[in-house]
Amino acid sequence: MSAFSPFPLKAKMEVFFFSVFNGLLYGMLLFMLASGLTLIFSLMGVLNFAHASFFMLGAYFAYQISKYVGFWPALIFAPLIVGLIGALIERYGLRPVHKFGHVAELLFTFGLAFVMEEVIQMIWGKVPVPYNIPEALSFAAFTWRGLDYSAYRLFMLLISVGIFVALFLFIAKTRIGLMIQAALSHPQMVQSLGHDVPTIFMWTFGFGCALAGIAGVIGGNVLGTEPSMAITLGPIVFVVIVIGGLGSLWGALLAALFIGIVDNLAISFDLKLYPIFALFGVEREAEGIMSDLVNLTTGGIAPVLPYLMLVLMLIFRPRGLFGTRDV
Amino acid sequence: MADLMRKSGIWIAAILVILALPLLVKSGFHITMLNQMGVLIIFALAYNMLLGQGGMLSFGHAVYFGLAGYSVAHYLNGVGEATLPYLPVSLIPLMGGAVGLFFGVLIGFVSTRRAGTTFAMISLGFAEMATALTLIIVTFFNGEEGIQTDRWVGPEPLGITFGSDVQVYYLIGTWCLLATGAMYALTRTPFGRMCNAVRDNPERVQFLGYNTHRVRWLAFSLSSFFAGIAGALHALNIEHVGFETVGIAQSGLVLFMVWIGGASTFAGPVLGAILITYLNSNLSDLTEAWYLYLGLLFMVIVMFAQGGLAGLIVMHEPIWKVDLKLFRAMVVPYIMGIGSTLIACVGVIGLIELAYFMSTRATAETQKVLYGFDVDAASVVPWAVCLLIAALGIEACRRTYPPMSASYNTAIAAVKARMAM
Amino acid sequence: MKHLSRLVIACTVVMLAVVTMTAAKAAETIKIGLIEPLSGRIAAVGQDALHSFEYAAEQINKAGGVLGGRQIEIVGLDNAMNAEKTTEQLKKSVDLGLSFVLQGVGSNHALNIIKFVNKHNKRNPGKEIVFLNHSAVTTAFTNELCSFWHFRFDANVDQKVAALVTQMKRDPSIKKVYLLNQNYAYGKSFQAAANKLLEERAPNIEIVGDELIVPFGKVQDFTPYVAKIKASGADTILTGNWGPDMHRFVKGAMGSGMDTKFYTIYGGITSSIAGYGDDAKKVDLKQVTEMHENHAGMPDDVHGFMDGFLKKYTDSWYSDRYRWALHMLAAAMEKAGSADPIPVAKALEGMTFEGPIGTVEMRADDHQIQLPLIVSTLTGDAAKKVIYKGKNFQVAFKTDGVVERADTSLPTTCKMKRP
C-alpha cells in the first residue's frame, strides 16, 4: 500500500545497486545453506529438515565463543563444532532410522528441528542474544551516493564467495570430490562400487551441517540471533534447492542469488500488481476478496513469492532448473 | 446374533462411554478438552488416511482443516445477521467437509502426481502460502485477529441451542462416531487396500494396470473431506478461527499425534489424539519444557517404535490371543525394562527442568522445587544427582532391554509354534 | 483391533476419572487470572507481565489487602500465544470461579476474550467475568467493539500516536517523516492514526513515505527499506513496529549509516533493546510510555516500588500501568464493598488514581484510561540503566517531553450497553 510512487530516476539507480548488492549477499548466505542441504540430499536422499537449525546453532555457538575469545576464533571453531555435532547425530540418530525408509528419515529430521529449537531456548533463553559484528569490521567500507556499504557485509560476500570457490575446487579436483559428483547423480551405483557408504554419509552430513554453521556465524550478527531464526529461513532454503535442481550446486547458487535479488528488488521497487489484474478486466474498485488482491504490491507479497515458485516448479518441472535427477 | 454383538462390541462400548462421560466430568475446562479430543480424533484419523494408509507425508493438511473452519465461521456469522439461509447446526460439519473436499480435490490433483519427498515439499509450499494468504486476503481471513463467531444462532429445535459446551460435546461425539465409522469402513473396501498397495509398492501397482495418481488423489480428497468436518467442529467448539489453524504448526501437531499414537493401526491416531490433547491441556501448566518433552517423545518413537504406542500394544496381541499364560514369563523382564526406563526418565526430566529453570528464571532466586524436594539449582548437587540417576537409568536400560525383547521373542516363537500345530 | 480399541477406551475413562478437578473455593483470597504466553516463543513477555502483577499484588497485600484483609492472588494461565488455549484458559477461569481476568499480550487474544466474555456473561448470569486489558492497544476495543465487561488500562494506538505527533510538532528540526508499519490490523490502525493526526496537529511536517511491510519477522533484511527511506530525504521515521520487525529495522538502518530519528511505541521494550545490541547506543530512538525510571519529579513511593522490583527480579520496572490496574481494582472493590464483578465494574467507571506524572482516570463512557504520556529518547547518558534478567544494557531513557491529558484524550464512538 505504498501511497507514494518511487523517486526520481537518479535515486532509483543507487537504490537498485544497493538492493542488488544486498540481494547478492542474502543470496550467498542462502547458497551456503543450500549447498550443504543439496550435498546431503543428493548423496543420502535425506531432506534435512533440521538444516536451518544447524545454521541457528552456528550463530549461537559463535555468539558464545565470541563472548570469551572474540569473533575470529568463533569463525573457525563454531562451524567445526556444529559439523561434529552433525556427524554424531547422523551416526547415532539418523543411521538407525535409515532402514525404515524415507518417510521415517524425514520425520526424524523434522523432529530434530523441533527439538533443537527447544534445546536452544532452554540453554540461551527466548530473547534474542546480543551477537554483534566484530569491532574491527563495523565501519563503512565506502559510501556511494549517500548509502553506506558496510565493511562487514563486504567481508561476508568475500567469505561466501571464497567458500563457493573452495567447494567447487574440492568437488571438481579431488578424489573424494569425484566420488561426490558421482553420488550426486548416481547414488546407488557408487554404493555398489564398494565405497564405505555409511562413513561417507556421516562425514557428508557433518560437512553439510558445518557449511550451515559457517552461514550462521557470519549471518547471525546481521540478521539477529534468536530461536525463530531456523523456522524463518528453513523453508526458503528448500525453495532454493528445488528451484535450482537437486544434485546441482550451480543450480543452487543461481537459484539462491535469484531469490535473494528478487526478494530485495521486490521490496525496494514496490510495484503495484494492479496492472496484471487489469488485464483480466478486474475493476480498480473491486469489492470483497478482489479488493485485497487488487491492492497488492510486490513488496507485500515478497515473502510469499518463493513458495509460489516452489509449488509451480514442483508441479511443472520437479527436476528443477538444472537438476540432474528427479526427486 | 452373538457374533454380531461381539463384532459391534467396541462401537457399542464407545457409544456408552461417550454418553456417560459428561456425567462424570463436570468442569467446563474438561468438557472443552474432551471436545477438542473429539475434533482432533477426526482430524488425526483423516491425516492417517494419507500417512499410514497411503504413505503420503503431508505438512499442509491443516490447510483444509483451517479453510473449513473459516468457511463455517463466516457461514454462522451470516446466519446470525440473517444474510444467509439457515442450516441446522448439526449439519454444519458436512458443510465443512464440502469445503475441505473442494480444496482437497483441487490441490490434491497437482500434489499427488508424486509421492515421497516431493509430495511433502509441495504440501509445505501450500501450507506456507496459505499462512501468508491469511494475512493478505483480509476480507476472508481477517489477518491476525481471525474470525469470531457465535454458534447460538437460528431456531432452537427441542431447546437445543448449542450454546452450552455439553450440547456441543454431544454434537462432536456423534460426528466423531460417524466419521470414525466411515473411515474405518473405507479401510475395509478394495479402495482402502489399493491405498495400502500404492503405499507399499507403487511400481507394481502400475504394472498391474492401476493409475497410482488416481488412487492417491482420491485418498487425498477423502482425507481432506474428513479434515474439513473436523475443522467445522473446531470452529463450533472454539467459536474463533485464527491464522494458525491453517499453518505448519497445526499440521505438525496432528503429525505428532498420529505418529506417536501409531500410524500402522487404525486406532493409533485415536490414541495419539487423546493422549497429546490431554497432555497439551494439562502438562503445559506444570512445566515450561512441555514442548521439548513432546519433541523427544516423538523422536524416540521415530527411532525405536515405528508403529507408535498403538503398535507397541498391538505387537503383543498375538500373545494374548493365543495364551495369556505366556505372559507370565514376560512379566519380570518387562517390569525391569519399564522400571529402568522410568529411572532414566526421572534423571533426564530432572536435568531438563533444572536447565529450564536456570535459563528462564526471573528472580535471582535459585531455589526450586524438584519432585517435591527443595533444591538449589545453582549448586552442583542437584545436577550431579540427576545426572547420576539418568546415567544409572540408561545403563539399566541397556542391561534390561535385551532380556525384555528376548522374552518377547520367546513368547512369539511359542505362539507361532502353536499356530503351526 | 477390537482389543486395542477397548484398551483405548478404558485408558480414556481411567485418565479422565483420575483427572476430575474440583473447582477451587475462592474463600478469603481474591484470585485474578492472568492469561498470557508463559511458554513458547513469547514466554518472556508473558512471564514479565506475571511477575509485575505478582509484585504489585504483593505490595497491596502487605499494605493490608482489600475488603478487610483479603489477599489478592494472581493466577497465571498459560495460553502459549495460541487462540484455542486462550479459550481453554477462559473455561478454566470459569471453573476456578474467577471473576476478573487480566490480559494484554496480543490484540487477537484480547478480542477473543472480549467476545467470549460477552457471550459467556449473557449465557451465564451470576457467573460474570470482567476483562482487565493491560496492554492490547487496538483502538476499536474502546470504540466500535466496546463492552461493559472490558476495561483498558493502556493508552490505545490513537492516543499513543497523538502523543508522538504532539511531541514531534515541538521539534522544529522535523520536516519530513516516513511512515513504516506492519501490514496487519494493528499496523494499519497506526498508519491511519498517523496520517490523520499528522494532518490535524502537525500539518507542516511532510509525509514523504508511507509503507506497510509483511509482519512478524518475515522480513529478514531491512536494507531495501532503508535505501528507500534515504532516497526520500526523510529526517524522521514514525513506526509502530515491534519485535523482530523493530530491531531488524534499527539494525538495518544503523548498518547502512542512516541517522534519522525513530519515533516509536514499542522501540524501547527490553527485548527490542536486547535485539539492537551495540546499535542501542547509536540509534536516535524515541518511545512513548506512561512512565520511565529516569523521569524527574516522580513521587518517592513509585521509586520505592521500582527499586523493590529491581531487587527481587533483577529487571527494571517498565509498565507502571500494571501497578495502577491492580490499585484501581482494589479501590473499586473497596468502593463497591464487595468483590462481585458487576458492582466492582460500576465502581471502576470514572475511578481516578494518582499516577507518577499526574492523575489518571478510567473514563466511564468507554472504559478507556485517560492519562498523560511521556515521549523519551534512548540514550547511554541516564542515571538508572535498563536492566533485564540481571543484565545491564548500558542504556536508558531521557524525557523529551510530557504530553498532558488534554492532548492525549480523544473522543469515542462507543455506545455501551450496561447491565
Side-chain angles (χ1 to χ4, degrees), chain B residues 292-325:
Chain B
L292 179 58
Y293 295 135
L294 181 62
L296 287 172
L297 178 61
F298 179 72
M299 297 286 280
V300 163
I301 301 267
V302 167
M303 287 171 68
F304 300 115
Q306 287 299 299
L309 293 174
L312 287 174
I313 298 177
V314 164
M315 223 167 75
H316 297 84
E317 205 182 335
I319 305 177
W320 84 60
K321 265 193 175 156
V322 167
D323 188 356
L324 279 168
K325 289 204 213 75

Side-chain angles (χ1 to χ4, degrees), chain C residues 188-203:
Chain C
K188 289 194 211 168
S189 90
F190 187 102
Q191 180 191 45
N195 273 293
K196 175 161 155 258
L197 289 159
L198 276 167
E199 196 187 304
E200 274 175 27
R201 301 192 181 194

